[in-house]
Amino acid sequence: MASLSQETTAALARLEAALNAPGIPERAAQDCARLLDKLRRPARISIFGSRAADTRWLLCAILGADPLAGAQGWPAIELAHGDPPRAKVTLADGSTLAREGPPAADLLSSEPVFLSITVPWPALKRMSFLALPATADPAEQAAALAWAARRTDIAIWCTRRFDAAEAAIWAEAPARLKNHALMVQVATDAAPPLACQATEAFEGTFTVARAPERLGQDDKPRGLDRLLARLEADIDEALRADVDAARLFLHRFGHLAAAQAGPRSVEDGPSARGNPAARTRDDSRPDRERVELLSEPLLYLRRRARLLHETLELCEAGAGDWAAEVLAGCTETLEGLRERAARWPEDDFRAHELREAVEEACDVSVLLQAEGGEDQVEDAAVLLEQIRQEFERELAA
């Protein structure tokens, strides 16, 4: 939408001015940089499923082209806009190889586990894509979903019939993925209709016919236009939310942007016209509210940590499955924080960032609990400590 583009451009200009202001506090600079990144970055769309061939086909259908030009066997692949074209692979030992131009045969023959491609395709200016061709194995799917959660804005689950096995996999997916997820049924002549309960786990369900149409022609697979329209609408909605978050930030720190970029507009609130003392009062009020908001969860976290410490003291080395008990306690603690964070206001950008950190930690804790073992107890303890430090830094700010 044209008006949305103008608003985004204006917000970017004022955020850049605020970030470059010499008097911006460190924490405000971090928040400003995050907002700039979110407004500049294309929407990150990840495609999952238990049939690698279908996830690959759907990505090619959305793009209208095959980024690997018919190569057999895809690794996990990331597609982003870039000029000149460039390909980079990550090998199983963690080493990387990079080449200018499209993926060459020598890169693909090196058996990469991850392939990153940048190409100057117009569609990628608005959306970047991540496709993970995992098998139907629940453990492999859990690892793929957990890894992709922090790299995803919109998740697409690609399926033929979304059977009980797929439903079980998706039920264990990180909450961050489920918050904005669509289902796409790749329909063939033999594909059965989806059960009603299958659609309840997703915000939207679409059927795209995998017919004989050749990609790249004007005739797109049936149902693809509806999916593309939904993606465009969801991206516009998310962009509006990011612009609103930028306005909220500029309402508090817009005087910094004004010093760099000229007079402020009326929409930035009364502090734009008031004296410095009035602005200080306006800026301090949200901080007092944030202290009240975060103090109880931090006290809860400290109480739970003491309880877990007492549990460890009572356990004797090698006595019973003490590791499972502690890991379960860590997960329960983080689930309690997640429930509290879910009630925080949506218009508080810094609280939103902290809530995302809690959600990610909770997802990691669930994986550690599933793995079990004494080594995982140490990792879980570090996880709780990191979240405690996040809360304390926020309160100190």
Side-chain angles (χ1 to χ4, degrees), residues 342-361:
R343 299 191 290 268
W344 293 348
E346 292 291 336
D347 60 354
D348 189 323
F349 176 73
R350 287 158 68 180
H352 175 74
E353 291 291 303
L354 188 56
R355 178 168 56 236
E356 287 192 338
V358 170
E359 290 178 351
E360 180 185 16

Side-chain angles (χ1 to χ4, degrees), residues 9-79:
T9 301
L12 283 169
R14 298 208 50 224
L15 287 171
E16 289 170 352
L19 184 61
N20 292 323
I24 185 170
E26 181 180 355
R27 187 53 185 259
Q30 294 172 359
D31 293 343
C32 188
R34 291 191 193 100
L35 282 167
L36 280 167
D37 179 63
K38 292 185 75 172
L39 287 170
R40 290 170 176 157
R41 185 181 64 209
R44 300 171 301 179
I45 299 172
S46 295
I47 304 177
F48 310 98
S50 59
R51 293 173 61 95
D54 284 348
T55 59
R56 170 178 174 165
W57 178 86
L58 181 61
L59 176 60
C60 293
I62 293 173
L63 293 171
D66 186 340
L68 294 187
Q72 298 298 316
W74 281 22
I77 183 171
E78 181 182 56
L79 276 163

Side-chain angles (χ1 to χ4, degrees), residues 53 93 222 363:
D93 61 2
R222 293 192 311 276
D363 294 335

Side-chain angles (χ1 to χ4, degrees), residues 162-225:
F162 200 66
D163 56 18
E166 290 186 26
I169 290 171
W170 187 250
E172 299 300 321
R176 182 182 175 91
L177 289 178
K178 297 179 185 178
N179 287 341
H180 204 140
L182 307 175
M183 176 192 283
V184 173
Q185 181 185 28
V186 176
T188 62
D189 292 339
L194 293 173
C196 294
Q197 60 268 27
T199 65
E200 295 175 355
F202 299 87
E203 294 186 1
T205 304
F206 301 84
T207 299
V208 179
R210 188 168 181 175
E213 297 100 338
R214 295 181 60 187
L215 298 178
Q217 294 182 346
D218 293 335
D219 294 332
K220 298 178 181 177
R222 293 192 311 276
L224 183 63
D225 284 337

Side-chain angles (χ1 to χ4, degrees), residues 225-243:
D225 284 337
R226 285 188 61 244
L227 173 62
L228 294 178
R230 174 59 183 267
L231 291 175
E232 292 284 352
D234 287 352
I235 292 170
D236 283 341
E237 182 180 354
L239 195 52
R240 289 190 195 96
D242 291 338
V243 170

Side-chain angles (χ1 to χ4, degrees), residues 107-177:
L107 287 183
L108 298 178
S109 63
S110 61
E111 298 184 358
V113 295
F114 185 73
L115 170 62
S116 176
I117 303 173
T118 57
V119 284
W121 295 350
L124 295 175
K125 289 184 176 181
R126 190 160 167 79
M127 312 175 197
S128 65
F129 291 90
L130 178 65
L132 300 178
T135 67
D137 178 65
E140 184 178 344
Q141 285 286 345
L145 294 170
W147 178 83
R150 295 290 290 180
R151 300 166 174 82
T152 302
D153 297 317
I154 301 174
I156 296 176
W157 183 266
C158 183
T159 186
R160 290 286 179 99
R161 54 195 181 97
F162 200 66
D163 56 18
E166 290 186 26
I169 290 171
W170 187 250
E172 299 300 321
R176 182 182 175 91
L177 289 178

Side-chain angles (χ1 to χ4, degrees), residues 251-253 255 271 278-287:
H251 179 73
R252 296 192 64 215
F253 296 102
H255 57 287
S271 62
R279 183 171 65 235
T280 300
R281 288 193 300 272
D282 286 344
D283 287 348
S284 64
R285 178 179 54 80
D287 287 333

